[in-house]
Amino acid sequence: MEFEVLPGTPGLTLADVTHVLIPGYGRDADATALTSGGVDRCRTALALHRSLNRGLIVCSGYKSPADHTGAPQSIDGCSYQGVPEADLMRAWLVETGADPASIRVERRSVDTVTNLLRSDLWFGDERPVAIVSHRSHLRRILSVIAPRTLRRPYLGVVVPGGPPRENPALLPMSRLITAFLPGGAAAVPEATRRADRLWRAAGLLGRRS
């Protein structure tokens, strides 16, 4: 399978990449299954991981702050509303043949900024990552979010299809959330607080990306 790569860290190529990150793309109406776009991201990510034959896949996402669907769930002693996106992605990957030992689940993030911040902690090293998403989403990730959140080299791998452009409100929102974030461990709770407040204030409904 041929992969379309969008540049991130200067000079990084797909041959240098170790890990794969999949940001969430929302849940279905009752929060028990992935959207078709989420399945597409998983399909591309699994093919990429198999071609690399190394590293981890981190599935990232709980739900957007505006998503209030789903029955209460208890996972690893924590409460969730509906099944987190990350668990849905992991289930799809495993059912499709991925090695469960190669998959990590980040189920706390609430938007793309927190997807990347929280996922960066799950790889266990500082080796390069490919972020697998749709083209319009990757433009925002690679230009604004990844440079301010990832502590490793990165590039983007394009998932076929998806919207030709994002909601124009998403770019300034990401800029606000990432602006002057504190360093180290303090970045995650601060970005989460900003994301939850800003998304709720904006009244944006539906999937994050």
Side-chain angles (χ1 to χ4, degrees):
M1 179 177 179
E2 294 289 329
F3 300 100
E4 183 180 357
V5 175
L6 297 185
T9 301
L12 188 71
T13 71
L14 205 53
D16 304 315
V17 164
T18 299
H19 303 299
V20 177
L21 168 59
I22 320 172
Y25 192 52
R27 311 179 294 184
D28 70 356
D30 62 1
T32 60
L34 295 173
T35 61
S36 60
V39 170
D40 290 341
R41 290 186 187 183
C42 288
R43 183 178 294 111
T44 299
L46 180 55
L48 174 61
H49 188 253
R50 285 172 169 167
S51 73
L52 295 173
N53 196 31
R54 60 179 176 268
L56 300 174
I57 304 174
V58 173
C59 303
S60 181
Y62 169 23
K63 66 179 184 68
S64 72
D67 178 358
H68 304 297
T69 58
Q73 307 279 330
S74 179
I75 304 173
D76 293 339
C78 296
S79 299
Y80 298 90
Q81 187 172 1
V83 183
E85 293 168 331
D87 291 279
L88 294 171
M89 288 189 280
R90 182 187 186 278
W92 188 95
L93 291 166
V94 171
E95 289 170 5
T96 312
D99 178 4
S102 69
I103 303 172
R104 301 291 182 269
V105 172
E106 184 290 294
R107 61 173 71 93
R108 300 284 300 279
S109 57
V110 296
D111 76 329
T112 304
V113 175
T114 50
N115 281 157
L116 269 66
L117 273 172
R118 290 182 179 274
S119 294
D120 201 50
L121 305 174
W122 281 91
F123 294 111
D125 57 38
E126 297 181 354
R127 291 183 291 177
V129 64
I131 305 162
V132 176
S133 193
H134 295 88
R135 181 185 302 277
S136 58
H137 192 208
L138 284 172
R139 291 193 188 105
R140 177 165 54 101
I141 289 174
L142 297 173
S143 64
V144 173
I145 302 173
R148 304 179 186 184
T149 56
L150 292 182
R151 298 175 297 178
R152 68 189 63 250
Y154 57 87
L155 52 72
V157 170
V158 177
V159 176
R165 61 186 62 84
E166 289 194 304
N167 183 324
L170 295 175
L171 184 59
M173 293 288 273
S174 291
R175 286 177 172 152
L176 285 170
I177 295 167
T178 57
F180 305 107
L181 276 176
V188 171
E190 176 61 18
T192 302
R193 183 187 68 81
R194 293 181 190 181
D196 187 68
R197 184 187 64 201
L198 288 169
W199 288 115
R200 290 182 185 277
L204 295 177
L205 302 177
R207 60 183 68 92
R208 291 190 305 272
S209 45

